[in-house]
């Protein structure tokens, strides 16, 4: 007898439908075809044990399992449950009272017949709804995750017996119901840290505000103990909250990567990823023998923080150049080619030299001549060009450190950032995939950033004196556009519609130029801390 059940395979962050066909016929062999990996083929032992432990009989006949489409590689143990269901119904031990053709089934089986959680339940549920499936059976731990998808009945199960009795109509299961929009709206963005805890560093706080308002990448250069990591950890507190579509996309990526814990709900906070500098290129960009999203994809719609920037291997840093421009990463190997989203905000920090005290106001740098420049050269010029704000940070003086006065809190800064993003939303309303100033292409840059004659003269003189690249020119204009948006957002007499078309003025450009500290020709050559702007 031939029986078909339906599951899904994850490719990248999306899923495709897999048809599990089981034939129980005369003979005494078991075979599985359809480009299954080792974990799938090992399901034979798990399914036999689960079936017998739950009181069913293993068919002593010829069994053929086909996983279709045959040209798509199937990986992992999530096919155990649909295979067991197909075998038990094909051997006529269970009569189906519910149509299997309208049901997607996925789950790993333990030897005692318990159903274990799987990866990628959310993209599987999205694909099931897209293809018109009426219901989906998943492990109980994944039920809430899959139930985020509306118009699909999701049933969470804990054992093979529970599944078979439900399919045969002996028991009734209640679908898991999640009001996605209500749950998303009620999820308050609470944080354990706040910018009010940061003493001093007002210039750096302003740089962070500009970076978050426009989605710009930022690099902090300063001695140990100046507060680089402390402030970087607080960036999510001033970023705009996730939209519902961003939350679904972010949750889907973490689901595929297996980063969601049992019973996890929709992600409502922007991700913050801080990998160690010993990370490998594959762990950063994704891929591997069993493809998984890397850190840059896990940071999608959020922040990727790279501490001790020059200590990362040159190969790891260089693979980020393309994702920083294109906001996605294409992983191509002999057996597969996958696209992962990588729309992250890069935040990096580094010491100014090997000893850490170059340009320190009170401590003397002990590095050998030329060591500062060699240390900075660990980061290539093309990569530095892709970082919009390069800010030098100095230690906090004792008077500010010991002050009991709290600084400006994160919520106040966040409201200004949100208003600036609203202006950008109006500006790019007709542009697909463009949401903030950092994403502007050359056409949009020429359209929305038109410096006046005085600004053009300042920019030309500065670029000639510092020998800046064309990419640095574009980055400066993008940052100046964001500074202008923040300026207009703080003026209640200017509407968001009017602010979206307001000009960039010379003081906006001056501030943007001041955030290119590493472009100074004398940086790393002398101890001069003056700014050329």
């Amino acid at each position: 007898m031939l029986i078909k059940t339906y599951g899904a395979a994850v490719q990248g962050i999306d899923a495709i439908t897999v048809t599990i066909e089981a034939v129980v016929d005369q003979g005494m062999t078991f075979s599985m075809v359809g480009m299954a990996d080792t974990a799938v083929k090992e399901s034979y032992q798990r399914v036999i044990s689960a079936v017998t432990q739950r009181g069913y009989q293993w068919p002593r006949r010829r069994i053929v399992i086909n996983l279709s489409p045959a040209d798509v590689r199937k990986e992992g143990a999530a096919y155990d449950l649909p295979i067991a269901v197909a075998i038990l119904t094909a051997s006529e031990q269970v009569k189906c009272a519910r149509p299997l053709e309208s049901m997607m089934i996925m789950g790993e089986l333990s030897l005692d017949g318990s159903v274990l959680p799987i990866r990628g339940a959310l993209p599987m549920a999205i694909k099931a709804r897209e293809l018109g499936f009426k219901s989906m059976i998943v492990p109980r731990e994944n039920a809430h995750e899959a139930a985020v998808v509306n118009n699909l009945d999701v049933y969470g199960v804990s054992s093979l017996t529970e599944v078979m009795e439900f399919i045969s109509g002996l028991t009734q299961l209640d679908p898991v119901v999640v009001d996605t929009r209500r749950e998303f709206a009620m999820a308050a963005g609470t944080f354990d840290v706040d910018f009010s805890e940061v003493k001093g560093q007002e210039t750096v706080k302003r740089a962070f505000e500009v970076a978050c308002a426009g989605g710009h990448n930022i690099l902090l250069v300063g001695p140990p103990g100046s507060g680089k990591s402390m402030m970087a950890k607080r960036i999510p507190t001033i970023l705009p909250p996730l939209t519902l579509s961003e939350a679904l996309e972010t949750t889907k990526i973490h689901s595929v990567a297996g980063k969601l814990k049992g019973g996890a709900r929709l992600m409502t906070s922007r991700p913050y990823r801080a990998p160690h500098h010993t990370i490998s290129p594959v762990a950063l960009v994704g891929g591997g023998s069993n493809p998984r999203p890397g850190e840059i994809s896990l940071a999608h719609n959020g922040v990727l923080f790279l501490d001790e920037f020059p200590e990362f291997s040159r190969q790891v840093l260089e693979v980020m150049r393309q994702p920083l421009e294109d906001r996605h990463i294409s992983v191509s190997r002999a057996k597969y080619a996958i696209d992962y989203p990588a729309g992250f905000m890069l935040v990096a920090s580094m010491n100014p030299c090997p000893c850490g005290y170059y340009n320190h106001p009170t401590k003397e740098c002990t590095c050998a001549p030329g060591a500062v420049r060699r240390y900075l050269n660990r980061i290539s010029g093309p990569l530095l060009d892709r970082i919009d704000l390069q800010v030098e940070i100095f230690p906090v003086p004792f008077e500010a450190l010991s002050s009991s006065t709290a600084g400006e809190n994160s919520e106040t800064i966040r409201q200004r950032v949100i208003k600036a993003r609203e202006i950008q939303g109006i500006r790019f309303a007709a542009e697909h995939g463009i949401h903030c100033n950092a994403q502007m292409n050359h056409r949009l840059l020429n359209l929305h950033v038109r410096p006046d004659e005085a600004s053009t003269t300042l920019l030309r003189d500065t670029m000639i004196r510092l020998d800046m690249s064309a990419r640095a020119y574009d980055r400066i204009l993008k940052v100046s556009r964001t500074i202008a948006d923040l300026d207009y957002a703080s003026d209640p007499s200017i509407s968001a519609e009017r602010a979206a078309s307001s000009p960039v003025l010379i003081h906006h450009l001056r501030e943007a130029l001041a955030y290119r500290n590493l472009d100074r020709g004398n940086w790393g050559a002398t101890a001069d801390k003056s700014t050329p702007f």
Side-chain angles (χ1 to χ4, degrees):
M1 184 177 179
L2 172 64
I3 289 292
K4 295 182 180 180
T5 57
Y6 298 90
V10 175
Q11 287 192 325
I13 63 168
D14 297 312
I16 62 171
T17 303
V18 173
T19 303
I20 298 95
E21 299 176 312
V23 172
V24 178
D25 208 345
Q26 294 182 354
M28 288 293 291
T29 61
F30 179 91
S31 58
M32 182 181 296
V33 295
M35 206 172 178
D37 74 348
T38 302
V40 179
K41 292 178 179 178
E42 288 175 348
S43 66
Y44 173 66
Q45 300 295 339
R46 293 190 296 270
V47 172
I48 286 180
S49 177
V51 166
T52 55
Q53 289 293 323
R54 289 291 166 169
Y56 300 99
Q57 295 295 320
W58 181 256
R60 296 184 177 275
R61 303 172 68 184
R62 176 174 171 265
I63 301 174
V64 179
I65 303 295
N66 178 43
L67 306 177
S68 175
D71 60 344
V72 174
R73 186 171 179 81
K74 289 77 178 183
E75 300 171 338
Y79 301 99
D80 292 356
L81 187 56
I83 289 173
V85 171
I87 291 174
L88 289 176
T89 51
S91 62
E92 300 182 337
Q93 297 186 57
V94 175
K95 301 294 183 181
C96 290
R98 304 178 190 276
L100 293 177
E101 63 271 13
S102 65
M103 186 183 302
M104 182 177 284
I105 306 171
M106 291 296 284
E108 178 183 347
L109 288 175
S110 67
L111 296 183
D112 65 355
S114 300
V115 180
L116 305 177
I118 60 174
R119 292 189 298 111
L122 179 55
M124 292 176 186
I126 293 173
K127 176 58 68 172
R129 181 184 64 179
E130 179 184 321
L131 296 179
F133 284 91
K134 301 300 182 183
S135 60
M136 183 175 185
I137 295 177
V138 293
R140 194 176 302 278
E141 291 86 345
N142 298 111
H144 196 284
E145 174 189 340
V148 167
V149 179
N150 297 324
N151 302 319
L152 180 72
D153 291 335
V154 176
Y155 300 98
V157 297
S158 56
S159 69
L160 177 61
T161 304
E162 196 174 352
V163 177
M164 301 315 300
E165 290 180 350
F166 174 68
I167 290 174
S168 63
L170 297 178
T171 61
Q172 179 66 37
L173 297 178
D174 294 325
V176 177
V177 178
V178 175
D179 187 338
T180 306
R181 295 187 180 278
R182 180 175 179 273
E183 182 175 295
F184 181 75
M186 290 180 61
T190 57
F191 301 94
D192 296 330
V193 294
D194 194 276
F195 261 103
S196 62
E197 302 160 350
V198 180
K199 300 298 181 65
Q201 303 294 10
E202 299 303 324
T203 302
V204 183
K205 290 180 186 177
R206 169 64 176 178
F208 275 133
E209 181 180 339
V210 172
C212 292
H216 303 288
N217 304 317
I218 182 171
L219 170 65
L220 298 180
V221 184
S226 54
K228 302 186 295 295
S229 299
M230 179 185 183
M231 285 187 283
K233 291 178 181 177
R234 285 156 175 76
I235 287 184
T237 67
I238 62 174
L239 282 169
L242 285 169
T243 64
L244 181 57
S245 61
E246 287 177 333
L248 284 168
E249 186 179 28
T250 304
T251 306
K252 185 164 69 170
I253 296 171
H254 285 250
S255 172
V256 170
K259 300 296 183 181
L260 297 181
K261 305 301 181 183
R265 297 174 180 267
L266 189 70
M267 293 182 64
T268 56
S269 297
R270 293 189 179 272
Y272 176 85
R273 307 294 298 182
H276 192 260
H277 65 260
T278 56
I279 189 174
S280 68
V282 172
L284 184 71
V285 303
S289 56
N290 296 322
R292 300 276 186 91
E295 289 292 334
I296 62 174
S297 295
L298 293 172
H300 182 62
N301 291 325
V303 176
L304 178 68
F305 177 50
L306 301 183
D307 199 8
E308 305 296 342
F309 202 36
E311 302 302 327
F312 286 79
S313 74
R314 185 68 173 245
Q315 185 181 6
V316 167
L317 294 180
E318 293 306 303
V319 297
M320 286 198 303
R321 285 163 56 175
Q322 181 258 336
L324 284 172
E325 290 286 341
D326 300 338
R327 302 181 68 80
H328 71 89
I329 178 70
S330 298
V331 181
S332 298
R333 300 292 184 266
K335 295 183 178 180
Y336 61 83
I338 294 175
D339 278 351
Y340 290 120
F344 60 92
M345 175 181 166
L346 175 64
V347 180
S349 68
M350 59 178 285
N351 293 330
C353 66
C355 80
Y357 296 107
Y358 173 73
N359 263 5
H360 196 283
T362 58
K363 296 184 179 180
E364 184 178 353
C365 176
T366 59
C367 297
V372 177
R373 177 54 57 183
R374 286 194 298 272
Y375 189 71
L376 180 62
N377 285 343
R378 294 186 185 181
I379 307 169
S380 68
L383 182 57
L384 274 179
D385 266 353
R386 288 169 167 83
I387 300 177
D388 306 0
L389 292 87
Q390 305 159 4
V391 182
E392 196 168 5
I393 177 174
F394 297 100
V396 181
F398 177 79
E399 291 75 13
L401 198 62
S402 60
S403 173
S404 59
T405 304
E408 192 175 33
N409 62 42
S410 293
E411 185 57 31
T412 303
I413 302 173
R414 190 184 205 189
Q415 290 305 315
R416 294 198 296 266
V417 170
I418 291 173
K419 289 180 181 178
R421 287 289 183 103
E422 288 175 355
I423 294 173
Q424 294 165 50
I426 294 172
R427 179 180 299 130
F428 305 125
E431 305 294 336
H432 177 70
I434 306 294
H435 308 291
C436 59
N437 291 331
Q439 299 174 348
M440 282 193 291
N441 54 34
H442 196 67
R443 175 182 64 84
L444 293 175
L445 199 60
N446 290 333
L447 182 63
H448 298 296
V449 187
R450 296 183 298 274
D452 57 21
E453 185 175 349
S455 299
T456 302
T457 301
L458 171 65
L459 187 56
R460 181 185 65 244
D461 293 345
T462 304
M463 288 198 65
I464 293 173
R465 184 168 70 253
L466 302 183
D467 194 23
M468 292 181 175
S469 68
R471 183 178 284 112
Y473 170 82
D474 285 353
R475 302 281 171 170
I476 291 169
L477 291 182
K478 291 178 183 180
V479 172
S480 65
R481 177 70 268 176
T482 300
I483 294 170
D485 290 343
L486 283 168
D487 195 6
Y488 296 127
S490 62
D491 189 344
S493 65
I494 300 178
S495 66
E497 290 76 11
R498 179 185 167 193
S501 57
S502 296
V504 173
L505 304 178
I506 190 169
H507 65 276
H508 302 142
L509 189 62
R510 285 184 182 277
E511 184 177 352
L513 288 169
Y515 294 135
R516 301 291 299 187
N517 286 158
L518 298 190
D519 286 330
R520 300 201 313 239
N522 66 338
W523 203 98
T526 71
D528 181 15
K529 291 186 286 187
S530 63
T531 175
F533 312 119

